[in-house]
Amino acid sequence: GFLIPYVIMLVVEGMPLLYLELAVGQRMRKGSIGAWKIISPYLCGVGVASVVVSFFLSMYYNVINAWAFWYLFHSFQDPLPWATCPLNSNRTGYEEECEKTSSTQYFWYRQTLNISPSLETSGNVQWEQALCLTLAWLVVYLCILRGTASTGKLEQLSNPKTWISAATQIFFSLGLGFGSLIAFASYNDPSNNCERHAIIVSLINSTTSIFASIVTFSIYGFKATFNYESCINKVILLLMNTFDLEEGSLTADNLSEMKDYLMAAHPQEYAQLLPQLKNCSLEAELDTAVQGTGLAFIVYSEAIKNMEVSQLYSVLYFAMLLMLGIGSMLGNIAAILTPLTDSKAITSRFSKEVISGFVCFINCIIGLIFTMEAGNYWFDIFNDYAATLSLLLIVLVETIAVCYIYGLRRFEKDLHTMIGRKLNWYWKTMWAFASPLLIISLFIFYLTDYILTGTLQYQAWDSTQGQLVTRDYPSYALAVIGLLVASSTMCIPLGALLTFIRKRLKRERVSTVA
């Protein structure tokens, strides 16, 4: 159900918009703000919006690297700390919360996040996570100092959320709309074949994403089956001990019939036992799939703990996760730093090292919010709302700007000069018609889904049940969500308005002098 929208988004949005941003950066030789300002002074807000979105992303994204450091440091223990549940304070059994869930989920929610029961309970900053976050930002800053050259380079189909998720995955994985592609492409040789790079990068990126998803959901399927079978075995053991049944008389195949028989034959005893009997369902286990960052930490750590030489595979996996995360962070920071270093007013007063250090320091300080006990809930807010709608608007304006303001024919001539080849029908059709129309459709899907959903909700960890429960966002969280969306999207019209006022005032001054 997700693969079809994903492929469509790749063909209609991913490859065309990746090529567009690479070509704009390579042609204009500026960061996001400067590049769109060259195309039209009224588009300066597009670059500012990209910088704001990249700043929001940088604020929370490096927390993932902090968690990766945390897991990496714990990977040297034998056995792995998430392999089994810890003993309780009396050392007479396992921790109650861990027994109700799993050892991997307990390590994630309790020992890593020490998560609060709701967003309203903020809690304190977790100093271990704060130190890991500081380390993550220090690594990013040291990599920045080395420069760009060293960083390397069918039910579901009717559900609007599926298409929005597919678009978000494409935008995030390729870095569309953040300004980082324009920033990196501005360093390219003017004759670099960015068309070929756009195709190769898109295909490799999507192939690895699909491969990773196959591995991930295979692991999750195994985990769901294991939990289901464990649940069945516990129910069988409980019934056999309570009703003194013969060994082998009760199996997974006849469990349902035996439940009905025991309820009819021993109604009082069965009624007393009923609260302890879990309703085991494989579908329910699969429906409670871990989402977001939990996929990388809970699901994979579940697989790693069952491997031979689990410490080795754990170190390799989380080291790989760190490499990917640091690489993504460098792209995000480049999208912020390039427009700043393009400004002569800033570079004349401060060196690049000072500017980079200031940006990293501010992000690190703000990022401490995500290391609080309620930090994961704020992380989800930023992850869900800081970029999704904003990216759709940014890339929509980008395609319209290139095709209808700068001019598609003019841009085609620029590309012919750069790569020595005429633009084929696919790119022109996607840029001029298909991509903008699909983005507008996604806007309508997004707004329709928001209206139909009503009150926005989030998943909170209930330690008494050992599972996630759905809660409504408080009013102040809804206000923050509104500010996150408005602060980036409003940059585009405000930038155009300020440019219009500035030009109008300049024209009036000239006419007054004359």
Side-chain angles (χ1 to χ4, degrees):
F2 181 80
L3 188 59
I4 293 174
Y6 181 84
V7 173
I8 292 174
M9 288 297 168
L10 172 66
V11 174
V12 181
E13 301 288 355
M15 282 196 290
L17 295 178
L18 178 61
Y19 183 24
L20 181 89
E21 291 200 355
L22 290 176
V24 167
Q26 188 170 309
R27 172 67 181 86
M28 305 307 171
R29 319 300 297 168
K30 294 284 186 180
S32 55
I33 296 177
W36 295 112
K37 211 170 181 180
I38 292 173
I39 290 176
S40 172
Y42 292 97
L43 294 174
C44 62
V46 177
V48 175
S50 294
V51 172
V52 170
V53 171
S54 294
F55 184 76
F56 286 154
L57 185 66
S58 298
M59 281 167 54
Y60 75 88
Y61 191 89
N62 218 20
V63 178
I64 299 176
N65 293 326
W67 293 332
F69 270 122
W70 170 260
Y71 269 79
L72 179 63
F73 296 151
H74 283 80
S75 297
F76 295 96
Q77 298 182 28
D78 185 19
L80 292 172
W82 56 83
T84 56
C85 287
L87 296 174
N88 58 27
S89 57
N90 297 327
R91 306 187 72 81
T92 55
Y94 295 117
E95 284 285 350
E96 184 180 356
E97 182 182 354
C98 189
E99 284 191 310
K100 291 180 179 179
T101 177
S102 67
S103 58
T104 50
Q105 285 184 305
Y106 179 81
F107 185 82
W108 169 249
Y109 287 111
R110 184 55 51 214
Q111 296 186 312
T112 301
L113 303 178
N114 193 24
I115 197 166
S116 62
S118 68
L119 187 61
E120 289 90 335
T121 310
S122 298
N124 300 316
V125 171
Q126 308 301 300
W127 68 267
E128 301 98 331
Q129 302 305 320
L131 287 176
C132 289
L133 180 63
T134 305
L135 176 60
W137 274 112
L138 180 61
V139 171
V140 169
Y141 178 64
L142 292 175
C143 289
I144 291 171
L145 293 184
R146 296 192 62 190
T148 306
S150 63
T151 61
K153 308 272 178 182
L154 301 182
E155 176 187 354
Q156 292 293 326
L157 297 180
S158 61
N159 187 351
K161 288 184 177 179
T162 304
W163 292 86
I164 294 167
S165 298
T168 303
Q169 172 64 24
I170 289 289
F171 287 1
F172 269 83
S173 61
L174 292 176
L176 301 176
F178 292 103
S180 54
L181 293 172
I182 295 175
F184 281 131
S186 66
Y187 299 110
N188 283 347
D189 187 275
S191 60
N192 177 64
N193 191 344
C194 51
E195 178 186 22
R196 182 178 62 192
H197 290 166
I199 296 171
I200 293 173
V201 169
S202 298
L203 294 177
I204 292 176
N205 174 78
S206 296
T207 302
T208 53
S209 295
I210 293 171
F211 174 75
S213 67
I214 292 172
V215 174
T216 299
F217 289 106
S218 297
I219 295 170
Y220 200 84
F222 165 78
K223 181 176 181 290
T225 303
F226 179 81
N227 289 345
Y228 169 69
E229 291 176 351
S230 298
C231 179
I232 290 288
N233 291 333
K234 287 179 181 178
V235 170
I236 290 174
L237 183 62
L238 183 62
L239 290 174
M240 290 183 66
N241 291 338
T242 304
F243 297 101
D244 197 22
L245 301 175
E246 291 183 10
E247 188 76 27
S249 62
L250 187 57
T251 63
D253 295 330
N254 67 359
L255 180 60
S256 180
E257 292 81 2
M258 287 296 291
K259 277 185 175 181
D260 295 336
Y261 166 75
L262 292 171
M263 184 168 57
H266 309 280
Q268 292 183 348
E269 294 90 336
Y270 193 88
Q272 293 176 353
L273 190 66
L274 194 59
Q276 302 178 48
L277 291 176
K278 291 185 178 180
N279 185 21
C280 304
S281 169
L282 182 59
E283 289 76 14
E285 290 289 345
L286 291 170
D287 288 341
T288 56
V290 181
Q291 299 177 358
T293 52
L295 279 174
F297 294 96
I298 298 176
V299 175
Y300 277 90
S301 59
E302 181 77 31
I304 289 169
K305 77 173 188 179
N306 295 311
M307 295 178 180
E308 296 291 336
V309 200
S310 55
Q311 288 78 16
L312 174 62
Y313 286 105
S314 184
V315 169
L316 291 175
Y317 172 71
F318 289 110
M320 178 201 70
L321 198 65
L322 264 176
M323 296 301 103
L324 294 173
I326 296 297
S328 298
M329 275 304 305
L330 293 176
N332 298 334
I333 294 297
I336 302 171
L337 293 178
T338 304
L340 294 177
T341 53
D342 282 345
S343 173
K344 293 181 179 179
I346 296 176
T347 53
S348 62
R349 291 181 174 86
F350 306 102
S351 65
K352 182 182 177 181
E353 291 78 12
V354 172
I355 298 170
S356 302
F358 180 75
V359 170
C360 291
F361 178 75
I362 292 297
N363 274 289
C364 184
I365 295 299
I366 298 175
L368 292 176
I369 295 171
F370 307 110
T371 66
M372 299 174 70
E373 292 175 29
N376 194 59
Y377 303 133
W378 288 110
F379 179 95
D380 288 337
I381 287 176
F382 274 73
N383 193 38
D384 292 340
Y385 301 104
T388 305
L389 189 63
S390 306
L391 289 179
L392 289 176
L393 181 61
I394 289 169
V395 295
L396 175 62
V397 175
E398 286 180 354
T399 51
I400 293 173
V402 169
C403 294
Y404 301 105
I405 297 177
Y406 188 77
L408 186 55
R409 289 184 179 179
R410 182 181 174 189
F411 194 59
E412 186 179 0
K413 290 179 181 178
D414 292 342
L415 288 171
H416 186 266
T417 303
M418 287 194 298
I419 65 176
R421 188 164 58 248
K422 286 187 177 181
L423 201 64
N424 64 42
W425 63 270
Y426 167 71
W427 302 115
K428 289 189 281 189
T429 304
M430 293 299 109
W431 289 343
F433 304 108
S435 294
L437 287 175
L438 186 54
I439 293 171
I440 292 171
S441 301
L442 288 173
F443 262 119
I444 297 171
F445 279 170
Y446 192 93
L447 295 175
T448 302
D449 180 64
Y450 175 76
I451 293 169
L452 294 176
T453 301
T455 305
L456 296 178
Q457 297 177 319
Y458 69 102
Q459 297 289 305
W461 180 254
D462 188 339
S463 59
T464 60
Q465 300 181 50
Q467 64 181 23
L468 294 169
V469 294
T470 303
R471 301 186 191 277
D472 292 337
Y473 274 121
S475 55
Y476 63 85
L478 295 175
V480 171
I481 291 172
L483 286 173
L484 285 175
V485 175
S487 58
S488 53
T489 55
M490 290 305 294
C491 289
I492 299 174
L494 286 176
L497 179 62
L498 290 173
T499 302
F500 173 78
I501 294 172
R502 195 181 299 114
K503 284 180 175 289
R504 185 71 178 266
L505 292 174
K506 186 177 180 180
R507 197 179 303 120
E508 288 178 358
R509 284 198 298 268
V510 171
S511 61
T512 303
V513 172

